[in-house]
Amino acid sequence: MTRQISVNSRTYQWPSAPTIIVCVDGCEQEYINQAILADKAPFLASLQWIGTVLAGDCVVPSFTNPNNLSIVTGAPPSVHGICGNFFFDKETQAEVLMNDVQYLRAPTILAEMARAGGRVAVVTAKDKLRSLLGHRLEGICFSAEKADQVTRGQHGIEQVVERVGMPVPSVYSAELSEFVFAAGLSILREERPDLMYLSTTDYVQHKHAPGTPEANAFYAMMDGYLQRLHDEGAVLALTADHGMNAKTDAIGRPNVVYLQDRLDAKFGAQCARVILPITDPYVVHHGALGSFATVYLRDGDDDARQREVMAFITAIGGVEAVLTRAQASERFELPPDRIGELVVLGERLTAIGSAAANHDLSGLTVPLRSHGGLSEQKVPLIFNRKLAGIDDTRRLRNFDVIDLALNHLA
Amino acid sequence: MTRQISVNSRTYQWPSAPTIIVCVDGCEQEYINQAILADKAPFLASLQWIGTVLAGDCVVPSFTNPNNLSIVTGAPPSVHGICGNFFFDKETQAEVLMNDVQYLRAPTILAEMARAGGRVAVVTAKDKLRSLLGHRLEGICFSAEKADQVTRGQHGIEQVVERVGMPVPSVYSAELSEFVFAAGLSILREERPDLMYLSTTDYVQHKHAPGTPEANAFYAMMDGYLQRLHDEGAVLALTADHGMNAKTDAIGRPNVVYLQDRLDAKFGAQCARVILPITDPYVVHHGALGSFATVYLRDGDDDARQREVMAFITAIGGVEAVLTRAQASERFELPPDRIGELVVLGERLTAIGSAAANHDLSGLTVPLRSHGGLSEQKVPLIFNRKLAGIDDTRRLRNFDVIDLALNHLA
């Protein structure tokens, strides 16, 4: 009998070889394309011949947490519940951080595979993702950011820094992601996990455009590690949580619609509350500015008021679309209880802010690059094996990556 | 009394100094941004302090001819009639090239200023634009491509190659655009025109992404000429006909929806005809692939059939939107008699083709970059003077550039 597991209504074949899912944070496809053109990524270039190169759609909002959780649950946020870093609790009138496992509504494929007897490992760049990704996981799970604090009891591994031979990097660095790959390679060689999930940080992508020397250097580093993981016999599956685009004018100044200020000026203070679910404790490199916002209206507001607010926001230059909660929940498969009455998407080159006074842009030492909207939805789906049996008409998602890697090897 | 002219229902103040309108073909704003970051464009960088940096929307289809004609008429294609390189004449069942002046329905600001006694000069990169831009123009008008064939009688100037001191470049080269600037500088110094229009070619932008060495070298070249034109006392106004985006996957393979093939397979051959108005005699660098197509149905087709075809196309992955003739004419200000029953827009990373057999991609030596859709609509509007009196809520267009340069100097 074929060994398999079922998680969130999908069935996964047991890995036939160590299988490594790599989520490259902010990997707009053009980064890979340009690195290949600059001869910096020979291994990735070879995958069109020896492997499979596809593209898929990530979850909107095109943010890190919703997409990482979708990838490891194989399901959209309507199933797993994590649709951003924040939602607004109208009862307590408080903005609630969604980084805690109490908000996760679905089991992960990682935890279920471990529960079925598989060896599972997770390495993230930043620690903020570790607890969500490691929920109920019996296995290895730690972050590069806190790699010097791992214990076997809590993280399933010890002495990582010594094993990797790299000091713990700054949380704002390319090296934080390099540490993830170096640790992954060590774990592949020593522990030989059945399934491993590696998740990088988009520090480089927020700062540097595709094809620039810094971006190419980052992808060259990654290409080298992917080659070594491949040489160790692993099945590799690479995708991204979201893409990345400039959000500036021709001279590098940010294009920002400060939506809370606009709504306050039009309808009065506290008539509507703008929540930016990109906001988190690490916003230095993007100033909490992305292309997705959700708006909470007052409880007494009727449909006419909602339509009035929608029409006002729709007419603002740089706004791509405004959806009602019902429309956004259906189109983007979001949990309706964790978004506001409206969802606002910025155009490719425009970020949505709340009130200007709430954004500290002093950390933006280079022109703003960010994500969150529809323009960052297309991401790579790249494998070091030939795949088979994929329906041509199927709309691929980044959260199909484990299904493709386990169920569709040729 | 203030001297002014009126053209296409707009009034323009007479130039107070030689005024140069530069249309940088395919100038996605990120090209300038990245060139500045790489310290290759100090003059453009300085314009945020000594001049004015804005952005505006170009005409959709975001192609060269419709936008160049909009810029020089100050009006959308619904007024000037040029909405692409081709339309389909149902009576003769022939695809008609729209490069001829007989299809131009409005006078240009250039010709009207010359008629009012102004000295006017036009230099284009490719010759295909010269006759449209020079329609009824008494002044200088020639292309870099045929600069060795100019005569005073026909082009208002002679011995251009000798004056510029550069050989006539290949039509597929960065130097073709450099010749435009070099000729413009010579004309500014010698003839001191009241109004000059310089229009480059997007050969570099089709081949090289923003921030790459080749792109930065092109913008460095341009920056040097803009500095010299500025030093000669000219008022400079720079915009673009359209932006530019990769139309590929992560590994550089083109994402193309071959719409004619899809329609033939679904509805039968010759049920619908796909016209790609980007097609022209110079398609080597983009294989006639852009993100805009128009579809002509058969005369007998009723509304139900049209809805059926629309629904079918809308469901194709990579298609951003499908509009009826009436919707497209209104939204994009297009002449309804020169588009088909449907207009189809590709997503940012997707080009729309006709039948695969009609596209020769052998000239695509680098990954496809192109334009035509909504994703290439945002373009720079940059001036070497402070502007004043612009309504904050006004949606700026690239074809406002002459209005801004002549009517809004501070």
Side-chain angles (χ1 to χ4, degrees), chain A residues 177-198:
Chain A
S177 295
E178 181 171 356
F179 194 101
V180 172
F181 286 108
L185 183 61
S186 172
I187 292 166
L188 176 64
R189 286 174 175 162
E190 300 292 322
E191 281 85 4
R192 208 73 187 163
D194 297 297
L195 183 64
M196 180 155 61
Y197 185 68
L198 304 179

Side-chain angles (χ1 to χ4, degrees), chain A residues 14-197:
Chain A
W14 201 259
S16 55
T19 297
I20 305 178
I21 312 298
V22 182
C23 177
V24 183
D25 197 353
C27 187
E28 182 74 26
Q29 295 176 97
E30 187 71 354
Y31 281 106
I32 296 176
N33 190 6
Q34 291 297 327
I36 290 173
L37 282 173
D39 287 330
K40 301 291 185 190
F43 176 70
L44 283 163
S46 76
L47 295 184
Q48 62 185 309
W49 313 115
I50 65 166
T52 305
V53 179
L54 302 167
D57 287 328
C58 77
V59 165
V60 172
S62 46
F63 291 143
T64 293
N65 286 16
N67 277 285
N68 269 275
L69 271 297
S70 281
I71 292 168
V72 301
T73 60
S78 54
V79 172
H80 63 68
I82 307 297
C83 57
N85 295 331
F86 275 95
F87 69 96
F88 182 63
D89 185 335
K90 278 199 172 177
E91 293 211 359
T92 62
Q93 290 285 304
E95 299 186 10
V96 178
L97 189 63
M98 245 187 295
N99 279 359
D100 195 89
V101 293
Q102 68 173 294
Y103 299 106
L104 187 57
R105 292 171 170 166
T108 71
I109 303 164
L110 306 168
E112 292 303 297
M113 183 151 289
R115 203 163 62 91
R119 288 183 306 279
V120 177
V122 175
V123 188
T124 68
K126 294 181 185 174
D127 203 61
K128 68 171 178 176
L129 261 175
R130 188 192 48 84
S131 60
L132 284 171
L133 293 175
H135 185 49
R136 293 190 178 155
L137 169 62
E138 293 288 328
I140 295 170
C141 182
F142 66 97
S143 69
E145 180 184 354
K146 300 199 172 170
D148 56 351
Q149 296 166 37
V150 299
T151 61
R152 186 159 300 275
Q154 204 181 343
H155 304 94
I157 194 167
E158 59 193 358
Q159 298 202 302
V160 166
V161 176
E162 292 76 3
R163 279 178 57 172
V164 169
M166 266 179 80
V168 173
S170 156
V171 73
Y172 297 111
S173 72
E175 289 72 26
L176 195 71
S177 295
E178 181 171 356
F179 194 101
V180 172
F181 286 108
L185 183 61
S186 172
I187 292 166
L188 176 64
R189 286 174 175 162
E190 300 292 322
E191 281 85 4
R192 208 73 187 163
D194 297 297
L195 183 64
M196 180 155 61
Y197 185 68

